[in-house]
Amino acid sequence: MQNSRTPVQEPPGAPGRSAETPPSVRALGADPAPLLPDAEPFRVLGTDAAAGADSALLLRLYGELVSGRRFNAQATALTKQGRLAVYPSSTGQEACEVAAALVLREQDWLFPSYRDSLAAVARGLDPVEVLTLLRGDWHTGYDPHLHRVAPLSTPLATQLPHAVGLAHAARLKGDDVVALALVGDGGTSEGDFHEALNFAAVWQAPVVFLVQNNGFAISVPLAKQSAAPSLAHKAVGYGMPGRLVDGNDAVAVHTVLAEAIERARSGGGPTLVEALTYRIDAHTNADDATRYRDAAEVEAWRAHDPIRLIEDELTGRGALDEDGIREAARTADEMAARLRERMNADPVLDPMDLFAHVYAEQTSQLREQAAALRAELEAADGQDTGEGR
Amino acid sequence: MQNSRTPVQEPPGAPGRSAETPPSVRALGADPAPLLPDAEPFRVLGTDAAAGADSALLLRLYGELVSGRRFNAQATALTKQGRLAVYPSSTGQEACEVAAALVLREQDWLFPSYRDSLAAVARGLDPVEVLTLLRGDWHTGYDPHLHRVAPLSTPLATQLPHAVGLAHAARLKGDDVVALALVGDGGTSEGDFHEALNFAAVWQAPVVFLVQNNGFAISVPLAKQSAAPSLAHKAVGYGMPGRLVDGNDAVAVHTVLAEAIERARSGGGPTLVEALTYRIDAHTNADDATRYRDAAEVEAWRAHDPIRLIEDELTGRGALDEDGIREAARTADEMAARLRERMNADPVLDPMDLFAHVYAEQTSQLREQAAALRAELEAADGQDTGEGR
Amino acid sequence: MTTVAVKPATMAQALRRALRDAMAEDPAVHVFGEDVGTLGGVFRITDGLAAEFGDDRCADTPLAEAGILGAAVGMAMYGLRPVVEMQFDAFAYPSFEQLVSHVSKMRNRTRGAMPLPITIRIPYGGGIGGVEHHSDSSEAYYMATPGLHVVTPATVDDAYGLLRAAIASDDPVVFMEPKRLYWAKADWSPDAPAAVEPIGRAVVRRRGSSATLITYGPCVPVCLEAAEAARAEGWDLEVVDLRSLVPFDDETVAASVRRTGRAVVVHESTGFGGPGGEIAARVTERCFHHLEAPVLRVAGYDIPYAPPMLERHHLPGVDRVLDAVARLQWEAES
Amino acid sequence: MTTVAVKPATMAQALRRALRDAMAEDPAVHVFGEDVGTLGGVFRITDGLAAEFGDDRCADTPLAEAGILGAAVGMAMYGLRPVVEMQFDAFAYPSFEQLVSHVSKMRNRTRGAMPLPITIRIPYGGGIGGVEHHSDSSEAYYMATPGLHVVTPATVDDAYGLLRAAIASDDPVVFMEPKRLYWAKADWSPDAPAAVEPIGRAVVRRRGSSATLITYGPCVPVCLEAAEAARAEGWDLEVVDLRSLVPFDDETVAASVRRTGRAVVVHESTGFGGPGGEIAARVTERCFHHLEAPVLRVAGYDIPYAPPMLERHHLPGVDRVLDAVARLQWEAES
Ligand SMILES: Cc1ncc(C[n+]2csc(CCOP(=O)(O)OP(=O)(O)O)c2C)c(N)n1
Ligand SMILES: Cc1ncc(C[n+]2csc(CCOP(=O)(O)OP(=O)(O)O)c2C)c(N)n1
Ligand SMILES: [Mg+2]
Ligand SMILES: [Mg+2]
């Protein structure tokens, strides 16, 4: 061992040496300044920058926002009719949901959290398949590969390392793929958030993290969640840029995400984006938000409505008129009607599915258990018929 | 539900409202600027500030550093003689270890990691009891309450939330107690690091986190561990100050920790301190460091030796001469001799201890198992005697 | 002291009352977790505690389960008696390392110098239509971890009594609350509720002579119902409610099985690697020559928990219990 | 193809070779974890892989186990076959949530659309003088988690064969490596090594007629030694090496026990809630009328793993196995 005779036992060497600057064992990362978010969230709508926004994009975002809100309302209504087990609504957060979906290219991947049904729908998935989890007939209703949308993730922040791993794998394969992962303000407190961001930065993985800071984790307000200047400030601790954006400004969110995605795909590594928004509905249909927040706060946020913001810009520049507004509402209503109709049909369930996908090949004990259930079901069937139920 | 009729279905309200600044649901924390570490690590020794340092403190630090290095050497030697199961040496890191121990007041708590035997010893614990874990006769050899030193923690970063909880509890009780928790650069990647720092900041707990960045986590260099400008930059993401210090400058470490402790006890909340240092020895006696680092790097760090630094200052100001140096070495040698002697005696072991402390009261199954082992031991004893072994 | 008559109460109410009484009695008792403060917890078990005892005694934490349990360790080190809530079974998993590597081992590690009187409340099990991750039965993990107590109530009385005993225990207790019994009502006298002392005693919920149903938590009502139904088949079933998985009450269980000569273990957790294996094995070790048939098990299937619309096919119900009883080789009897 | 004669190799070498061959054969196989690159892992199982396949194929990661396993999930989603190393048993616990809530459930969750062919290598068990947290036997946790395979080799041949099979599996496999057998040597032909197909078959390591020792991993050599020693007592013991805890080979085990009429389960993991309960229970369910005595268990005590100087008292050894065999009610025999 190199220390069996320690230096201190020898007479001290030439004085002065010790005052040298210590050797650096650490590649001091980039200058921290560009990693820090601006003090004010980035905005486009209602500012001078709005004029530069493309009308086609604005109209697309607008249509999706209107449909998105309608989707949230319809899904919430379905819980009251017992058609969904639960629904965590993103009403008020549609700008984030829609911008996240629309900003991705076909080959990119979306990693939604449990609240992000809308983002998955806006990305093109069948809404009934997206709602499968919340209806309760299966855990995930869609094939994630179809539109490159990972399953809605219920354990908070656990989807973030998945996004990093996928993005890293794509980069190793030389594929031009970016992963966009969504998480809530509460989710940033989990260890998985930390580990995912650190892996992403060390690997320079092409991944973008979008924190939808809606002010609450169920009942817990942000002030009890974090004491940071902003959640975007966490980025510097990983060596990635942090960006703060008005989460109700769909154009601003789209712009910031587009920049981050471009940085990611061109080898610039990950970005952390914090979008300031608000959950207008309760946490889920089962929650009573009046227990922990004031109606006045909700009203204040309603006044900064993501749909209104973009509508004002569009009407202001003459790209949208009363007809267009009615048309968007009609499209949304049609979507909702179709959804309602389809959700009102009972899903076709096969209890034997319980055993079908646990392993690639069923183990003998699962075969036994499946056989037992099949026998039970057949017996019950026989009984049912016999009793004419 | 408030969203059963969504705003979008109603005609848009008065234009202009939407361009308002969105309401803030977040208490934007303090200005981030004062939370950010300086670009250069804080130094005292070898700088003009050294003149201001108190000779008594310097001498105390010096003595402990010399003894500390001797302790590391002795413990490492004991592994070769089979007297310790393993020893993770802190040679090269003595300034951090010693400053951490000496800066604490009597009522404060230290939360060491598995590498911090020396800090526990410098805090006043019996070195043999500290080495119990590494000798292998029990998991923790000392009563943590005795000198308020938590057990050396092997699972990395898991001790950090403990420190936060203890500090928080003390504050709730109104006690003037600060907790100082040690962790390595590698440990900062663990989720527990993140969760602990966040809890500490939200609770404004009187706790100080000292990261000993020694450049490696076993074989993994810092560049593969983090892409941050510095580990101290992580602080801003929690809303606490981050400080960067030369970890081989015992006076600088002592100064920065003392400030942080004072901030904590006066209600100013937690601080993250990153100390830049280097592990001169291999990871443990079982490790072969030549597999992953250059001898030149080690040599460069030897030139910035923590003992030499303080020795130069002391001899320079005439507070230490050849006699004093020899005296410190002699004291250290005596300590080592005593330690060697005591460690060369086999510990007295009672296998029945295995069952004694699993629960406050032994369960019936543990009583059965204890009885079985006792019977086995008695049988073996009988046999041993019988066979004259 | 005002006397209030016995009246119907839910398990949720009894749990809440146990927390309240423990906090009132001992200022060292601190309750914390996600949403336990202002909201009173998603199941409202902590409702009103923050109002009565203040935010410091009943505190909302950041959303991080390892942090919650890790902080509880530190608080217990300083002499407090933390009671933490994990919001749902599957959301306790992030705290697994703290649980296994510290909570369960600290007393032993320090030769008794640093006990950790922490109560970890975990709502568990299914039957409430919860989506994925909201219905796990995770008790097997905790049973396999020496140093922890694992208890679970099946009645309103025990909900109060066991939770008081858990909080009073100087050891860490994983307190598993059967979600689907939260709203089950029973007559209960909130004025003279008592702790169950000591933790570790099973109780015979129904006397019987033909066979013993060994169960706990959410399956106790199922077994009692099965025992009633079994009368029609001519079986007089005994039902043992374990109440505590660790320590395990070998005495009560073995005495029952020796008497009846037959046993079925019933639980909702998956069968393979679940608690039933341990229970069946130890009963068999102790009662082998009294057994007319092997100890059988009725358990959840060896699958990830079923989605809400299929969970009734997954959960052990009365019929499956009766089927198992029928397979206890009664031919030998006649 | 050069032919190299059979020569002694360690389990560590066979494991390393299995990784190498898998990587050479399939570019989708990626190895990563703490210190697996430059250092070759603290047990040197990945030695040379980074040099041969590059840093991208055999990568050092930041020190964060949940991150490692979570990243593996994402990489598997994209079509890779990650092989991750957890440095020691107890250091896999931080990844428990990823394991239980995602790795084990993703295939089922997506109706087979998103299988996760991940191999999680975990050095486990004691007997190497490791300090706290370095000697856990954590297999009970994994056994209780549907959706995972759990395998563990006991021989040099199986180390290669099972690891190849694990990596080739389209399901997640928890691959438990018995630390204290890493340096056990056996004759081995590295030129014609074969995968063990399919995962899930136990093997009879020693034929016998008096009783069956059911064991796996680190206790296989103990049982073989015990079987030799037992000859002096007049017992001819059969030794079954399970190799795979999930799937469980009921057929091989039950056939053996039906033949011998007696069985002892031997493992190092704690007894209570450990794998032995499940094994004893299912053997009893299947072989009840062939059993002359209850299935007994020899296991680690129900305590946190012992410190190095006391571990020999904790670990099941030959004597304890023989004692258990002696308790198998041989009186009935004569
Ligand atoms: C690991 C984990 N812990 C707890 C929960 C229970 N839970 C579901 S949503 C939620 C709050 C999430 O807050 P946030 O991350 O801000 O997302 P939001 O609901 O606001 O979209 C909690 C605590 C969970 N799903 N996962
Ligand atoms: C949770 C956990 N994972 C892995 C290990 C194994 N391990 C022990 S020390 C070490 C490296 C620690 O590096 P660092 O935090 O920088 O501390 P240092 O050794 O440099 O003092 C590792 C990976 C562990 N002890 N705990
Ligand atoms: Mg939120
Ligand atoms: Mg280090």
Side-chain angles (χ1 to χ4, degrees):
Chain A
M1 297 296 297
Q2 56 264 57
N3 70 330
S4 61
R5 198 143 300 242
T6 58
V8 78
Q9 295 171 292
E10 297 156 18
R17 262 217 297 155
S18 53
E20 276 169 24
T21 300
S24 176
V25 284
R26 50 213 307 282
L28 252 154
D31 178 11
L35 306 180
L36 291 168
D38 293 335
E40 281 304 307
F42 178 69
R43 290 196 182 99
V44 174
L45 297 173
T47 76
D48 294 347
D54 174 44
S55 285
L57 174 66
L58 288 177
L59 281 167
R60 227 183 124 211
L61 287 168
Y62 175 70
E64 292 289 346
L65 289 172
V66 171
S67 282
R69 175 151 309 169
R70 197 68 193 75
F71 174 80
N72 277 321
Q74 183 57 61
T76 300
L78 285 165
T79 62
K80 287 196 217 134
Q81 295 147 23
R83 283 287 170 192
L84 289 180
V86 65
Y87 187 68
S89 163
S90 59
T91 295
Q93 304 179 214
E94 296 92 344
C96 291
E97 298 284 318
V98 164
L102 266 53
V103 77
L104 293 180
R105 301 163 304 164
E106 206 181 322
Q107 71 270 35
D108 295 333
W109 274 78
L110 180 71
F111 284 78
S113 88
Y114 77 105
R115 191 177 296 289
D116 306 312
S117 293
L118 178 53
V121 170
R123 174 109 171 110
L125 282 168
D126 177 347
V128 173
E129 292 187 2
V130 171
L131 290 174
T132 294
L133 168 73
L134 305 163
R135 173 156 69 172
D137 48 316
W138 199 255
H139 310 294
T140 293
Y142 51 88
D143 178 347
H145 296 285
L146 197 62
H147 289 279
R148 288 151 308 283
V149 179
L152 300 174
S153 178
T154 300
L156 298 167
T158 55
Q159 71 277 18
L160 305 182
H162 305 173
V164 175
L166 184 136
H168 182 57
R171 197 168 80 113
L172 290 179
K173 282 203 180 175
D175 296 346
D176 175 18
V177 168
V178 173
L180 172 60
L182 308 185
V183 68
D185 47 312
T188 65
S189 295
E190 289 281 3
D192 276 17
F193 172 87
H194 177 68
E195 300 190 11
L197 268 75
N198 191 45
F199 273 65
V202 169
W203 283 349
Q204 288 289 290
V207 57
V208 178
F209 304 98
L210 173 61
V211 178
Q212 291 188 52
N213 176 359
N214 62 7
F216 287 90
I218 309 188
S219 70
V220 180
L222 188 69
K224 288 187 181 178
Q225 196 68 247
S226 172
S230 80
L231 299 175
H233 276 86
K234 293 182 183 287
V236 67
Y238 306 101
M240 69 174 78
R243 295 290 172 256
L244 196 57
V245 62
D246 181 344
N248 285 13
D249 179 339
V251 186
V253 177
H254 192 277
T255 306
V256 170
L257 290 179
E259 277 170 20
I261 288 169
E262 181 50 33
R263 182 180 311 115
R265 57 176 299 276
S266 59
T271 303
L272 173 65
V273 179
E274 176 187 5
L276 299 173
T277 182
Y278 196 79
R279 192 194 74 208
I280 294 290
D281 285 349
H283 167 63
T284 66
N285 54 296
D287 177 42
D288 175 8
T290 63
R291 289 179 80 105
Y292 54 80
R293 67 182 191 187
D294 279 348
E297 188 179 275
V298 182
E299 283 318 306
W301 275 93
R302 277 192 199 277
H304 189 65
D305 182 72
I307 299 179
R308 184 80 42 87
L309 278 173
I310 203 162
E311 203 173 74
D312 287 350
E313 173 60 33
L314 280 168
T315 50
R317 67 163 72 172
L320 183 74
D321 58 11
E322 288 288 320
D323 278 358
I325 292 172
R326 262 194 300 274
E327 172 64 17
R330 211 177 46 75
T331 307
D333 282 343
E334 278 169 19
M335 174 279 300
R338 270 195 310 279
L339 179 61
R340 201 165 48 232
E341 196 187 356
R342 292 177 64 204
M343 293 295 289
N344 277 331
D346 288 331
V348 182
L349 295 175
D350 181 1
M352 302 315 295
D353 281 0
L354 291 175
F355 306 97
H357 306 291
V358 183
Y359 296 103
E361 213 188 307
Q362 236 165 42
T363 59
S364 65
Q365 83 217 47
L366 285 179
R367 277 196 302 273
E368 280 171 25
Q369 293 173 17
L373 177 58
R374 189 174 296 114
E376 268 184 31
L377 293 170
E378 281 164 7
D381 249 15
Q383 243 184 337
D384 283 2
T385 319
E387 293 174 16
R389 277 190 248 162
Chain B
M1 296 294 298
Q2 58 264 57
N3 71 330
S4 61
R5 199 143 299 240
T6 58
V8 76
Q9 295 171 292
E10 296 154 20
R17 264 216 297 157
S18 53
E20 276 166 25
T21 301
S24 176
V25 284
R26 51 212 306 281
L28 251 154
D31 178 13
L35 306 180
L36 291 168
D38 294 335
E40 281 303 308
F42 177 70
R43 291 198 180 99
V44 173
L45 296 172
T47 75
D48 294 347
D54 174 44
S55 285
L57 174 67
L58 289 177
L59 282 168
R60 228 184 122 212
L61 287 167
Y62 175 71
E64 291 289 347
L65 289 172
V66 172
S67 282
R69 176 153 307 172
R70 197 68 192 75
F71 174 80
N72 275 322
Q74 183 57 62
T76 299
L78 285 164
T79 62
K80 285 195 216 131
Q81 296 148 22
R83 282 289 171 189
L84 288 180
V86 66
Y87 186 70
S89 163
S90 58
T91 295
Q93 304 178 213
E94 296 93 344
C96 292
E97 298 284 317
V98 163
L102 266 53
V103 77
L104 293 180
R105 301 162 304 163
E106 206 181 320
Q107 71 270 34
D108 296 331
W109 274 78
L110 180 71
F111 284 79
S113 88
Y114 76 105
R115 191 176 297 287
D116 306 312
S117 294
L118 177 54
V121 170
R123 175 112 172 108
L125 282 167
D126 177 348
V128 173
E129 291 187 1
V130 170
L131 290 174
T132 294
L133 168 75
L134 305 163
R135 173 157 69 172
D137 48 318
W138 199 255
H139 310 295
T140 293
Y142 52 89
D143 178 349
H145 296 284
L146 196 63
H147 289 279
R148 289 152 304 287
V149 179
L152 300 173
S153 178
T154 300
L156 298 166
T158 56
Q159 70 278 18
L160 305 182
H162 304 173
V164 175
L166 184 135
H168 182 56
R171 196 167 80 112
L172 291 178
K173 283 203 180 177
D175 295 348
D176 175 19
V177 169
V178 172
L180 172 60
L182 309 185
V183 67
D185 47 312
T188 66
S189 296
E190 289 282 2
D192 276 15
F193 171 86
H194 177 66
E195 301 190 12
L197 268 74
N198 190 44
F199 272 65
V202 169
W203 284 349
Q204 287 291 291
V207 56
V208 177
F209 304 97
L210 174 61
V211 179
Q212 291 189 54
N213 176 359
N214 62 7
F216 286 90
I218 308 186
S219 71
V220 180
L222 188 68
K224 288 188 182 177
Q225 198 67 249
S226 172
S230 81
L231 299 175
H233 276 87
K234 292 182 184 289
V236 67
Y238 306 101
M240 68 174 78
R243 297 288 171 257
L244 197 58
V245 63
D246 180 344
N248 284 13
D249 178 338
V251 186
V253 177
H254 193 276
T255 306
V256 170
L257 290 179
E259 278 171 18
I261 287 170
E262 180 49 34
R263 182 181 311 117
R265 60 175 298 277
S266 59
T271 303
L272 173 66
V273 179
E274 176 187 4
L276 300 173
T277 182
Y278 196 78
R279 192 193 75 209
I280 296 289
D281 285 349
H283 167 63
T284 67
N285 55 294
D287 177 42
D288 174 8
T290 62
R291 289 179 81 104
Y292 53 82
R293 67 182 190 186
D294 279 348
E297 187 179 272
V298 182
E299 283 318 307
W301 274 93
R302 278 192 200 278
H304 189 66
D305 183 71
I307 299 179
R308 184 78 44 84
L309 278 172
I310 203 162
E311 203 173 75
D312 286 351
E313 173 59 33
L314 280 167
T315 50
R317 66 164 73 172
L320 183 74
D321 57 12
E322 290 287 321
D323 278 357
I325 292 172
R326 263 193 301 276
E327 172 63 18
R330 210 180 45 75
T331 307
D333 282 343
E334 278 169 19
M335 175 280 301
R338 269 195 312 279
L339 180 62
R340 201 165 46 235
E341 197 188 353
R342 291 178 63 203
M343 293 295 289
N344 277 332
D346 287 330
V348 182
L349 294 174
D350 181 0
M352 301 315 296
D353 281 1
L354 291 174
F355 306 97
H357 306 291
V358 183
Y359 296 102
E361 214 187 307
Q362 236 167 44
T363 59
S364 64
Q365 83 216 46
L366 285 179
R367 278 195 303 274
E368 280 171 24
Q369 292 172 18
L373 177 57
R374 189 174 298 113
E376 268 184 31
L377 294 169
E378 280 163 7
D381 249 15
Q383 240 186 340
D384 282 4
T385 318
E387 296 174 14
R389 276 192 247 158
Chain C
M1 200 222 229
T2 40
T3 332
V4 176
V6 165
K7 56 178 188 182
T10 62
M11 183 181 280
Q13 287 168 327
L15 291 168
R16 194 203 145 297
R17 177 63 186 267
L19 290 174
R20 200 218 142 264
D21 289 356
M23 292 177 84
E25 220 167 73
D26 183 352
V29 176
H30 279 242
V31 171
F32 52 100
E34 294 158 11
D35 301 289
V36 300
T38 315
L39 186 65
V42 295
F43 292 107
R44 302 292 186 271
I45 308 298
T46 58
D47 198 16
L49 298 180
E52 182 169 354
F53 298 100
D55 281 353
D56 282 346
R57 294 284 303 284
C58 179
D60 285 329
T61 63
L63 212 166
E65 294 78 8
I68 291 170
L69 191 54
V73 170
M75 291 168 77
M77 282 176 160
Y78 201 74
L80 298 186
R81 301 185 92 82
V83 180
V84 301
E85 175 174 305
M86 296 288 153
Q87 203 160 78
F88 281 86
D89 27 69
F91 307 143
Y93 301 150
S95 63
F96 197 70
E97 182 189 29
Q98 284 290 344
L99 185 74
V100 174
S101 290
H102 288 301
V103 174
S104 74
K105 295 186 170 70
M106 192 66 83
R107 170 189 288 277
N108 186 66
R109 175 180 300 152
T110 60
R111 294 184 196 269
M114 203 159 237
L116 295 181
I118 300 174
T119 303
I120 303 163
R121 296 182 37 244
I122 306 181
Y124 81 113
I128 62 157
V131 301
E132 210 193 346
H133 306 292
H134 289 77
S135 299
D136 284 13
S137 289
S138 42
E139 61 270 29
Y141 301 133
Y142 310 128
M143 277 178 75
T145 307
L148 302 176
H149 290 304
V150 184
V151 305
T152 180
T155 68
V156 173
D157 262 318
D158 275 5
Y160 182 92
L162 285 172
L163 185 49
R164 288 302 304 269
I167 297 171
S169 168
D170 285 337
D171 286 320
V173 180
V174 178
F175 190 86
M176 310 216 47
E177 303 176 357
K179 274 184 229 99
R180 61 172 145 137
L181 298 186
Y182 268 148
W183 305 283
K185 276 197 174 158
D187 279 348
W188 188 58
S189 160
D191 288 315
V196 172
E197 304 277 18
I199 285 183
R201 295 314 248 157
V203 62
V204 176
R205 291 270 173 228
R206 184 188 195 282
R207 290 257 154 215
S209 55
S210 320
T212 303
L213 303 180
I214 307 168
T215 189
Y216 58 87
C219 286
V220 171
V222 175
C223 286
L224 289 170
E225 200 185 326
E228 282 312 304
R231 292 168 60 180
E233 318 277 332
W235 294 313
D236 178 22
L237 302 181
E238 180 144 318
V239 177
V240 176
D241 173 2
L242 294 172
R243 301 205 287 198
S244 162
L245 294 168
V246 185
F248 190 86
D249 186 353
D250 284 311
E251 217 179 305
T252 303
V253 176
S256 170
V257 176
R258 282 202 198 100
R259 214 153 18 77
T260 62
R262 290 180 170 84
V264 178
V265 185
V266 181
H267 60 58
E268 186 181 320
S269 163
T270 50
F272 190 87
E278 177 62 42
I279 299 169
R282 32 198 325 115
V283 167
T284 307
E285 284 162 19
R286 283 159 181 75
C287 311
F288 187 67
H289 290 293
H290 298 81
L291 284 174
E292 307 288 341
V295 177
L296 296 182
R297 292 181 281 166
V298 175
Y301 296 124
D302 299 331
I303 60 172
Y305 194 84
M309 287 188 178
L310 292 174
E311 67 178 337
R312 71 199 160 89
H313 297 290
H314 176 64
L315 291 170
V318 169
D319 288 349
R320 269 179 220 165
V321 174
L322 294 178
D323 281 354
V325 171
R327 282 185 285 119
L328 289 173
Q329 309 184 357
W330 299 95
E331 318 75 47
E333 199 81 320
S334 44
Chain D
M1 201 222 226
T2 40
T3 329
V4 175
V6 165
K7 57 177 185 181
T10 63
M11 183 182 280
Q13 288 169 325
L15 291 168
R16 193 201 147 300
R17 177 62 186 266
L19 290 175
R20 199 219 143 264
D21 289 356
M23 291 176 84
E25 220 166 71
D26 183 354
V29 176
H30 279 244
V31 171
F32 52 101
E34 295 157 11
D35 302 290
V36 301
T38 315
L39 186 65
V42 294
F43 292 107
R44 302 292 187 272
I45 309 297
T46 57
D47 197 17
L49 299 180
E52 182 169 353
F53 298 100
D55 281 353
D56 282 345
R57 294 284 304 283
C58 179
D60 285 329
T61 64
L63 212 166
E65 294 79 7
I68 292 170
L69 191 53
V73 170
M75 290 166 77
M77 283 176 160
Y78 202 75
L80 298 186
R81 302 186 91 83
V83 181
V84 300
E85 175 174 303
M86 297 287 152
Q87 204 160 76
F88 281 86
D89 28 67
F91 307 143
Y93 301 149
S95 64
F96 197 69
E97 182 189 29
Q98 284 290 343
L99 185 74
V100 174
S101 290
H102 288 301
V103 175
S104 74
K105 294 185 170 72
M106 191 66 84
R107 169 189 287 278
N108 186 65
R109 176 181 299 152
T110 59
R111 294 183 194 269
M114 203 159 236
L116 295 181
I118 300 173
T119 302
I120 304 164
R121 295 181 39 243
I122 306 181
Y124 81 114
I128 61 156
V131 300
E132 210 194 344
H133 306 291
H134 290 76
S135 298
D136 285 12
S137 290
S138 43
E139 59 270 29
Y141 300 134
Y142 310 128
M143 275 178 76
T145 307
L148 302 175
H149 291 303
V150 183
V151 305
T152 180
T155 67
V156 173
D157 261 319
D158 275 4
Y160 183 92
L162 285 172
L163 185 50
R164 288 301 304 269
I167 297 171
S169 169
D170 285 336
D171 286 320
V173 180
V174 178
F175 190 86
M176 310 215 46
E177 303 176 358
K179 276 185 226 98
R180 62 171 145 137
L181 299 185
Y182 270 148
W183 305 284
K185 276 196 173 160
D187 279 347
W188 188 58
S189 159
D191 288 316
V196 172
E197 302 280 20
I199 284 184
R201 296 314 247 155
V203 61
V204 177
R205 291 271 172 227
R206 184 190 195 282
R207 289 258 154 213
S209 55
S210 320
T212 304
L213 302 181
I214 307 169
T215 189
Y216 57 88
C219 286
V220 171
V222 175
C223 287
L224 289 170
E225 201 186 325
E228 282 312 304
R231 291 168 61 178
E233 317 277 333
W235 294 313
D236 179 21
L237 301 182
E238 179 143 318
V239 177
V240 176
D241 172 1
L242 293 172
R243 302 205 288 198
S244 162
L245 295 169
V246 184
F248 190 87
D249 185 354
D250 284 311
E251 216 179 307
T252 304
V253 176
S256 170
V257 177
R258 282 203 198 99
R259 213 153 18 76
T260 62
R262 290 180 171 82
V264 179
V265 184
V266 182
H267 61 60
E268 186 180 319
S269 165
T270 51
F272 190 87
E278 177 62 41
I279 298 168
R282 42 199 314 119
V283 167
T284 306
E285 284 162 18
R286 283 160 181 74
C287 311
F288 187 68
H289 291 293
H290 299 80
L291 285 173
E292 307 289 340
V295 176
L296 296 182
R297 293 181 280 166
V298 175
Y301 297 124
D302 299 331
I303 60 173
Y305 194 84
M309 286 187 179
L310 292 174
E311 67 177 340
R312 71 199 160 90
H313 297 290
H314 176 65
L315 291 170
V318 169
D319 287 349
R320 270 182 218 161
V321 174
L322 293 178
D323 281 353
V325 171
R327 283 185 283 117
L328 289 173
Q329 311 184 355
W330 298 94
E331 320 75 45
E333 198 82 316
S334 45

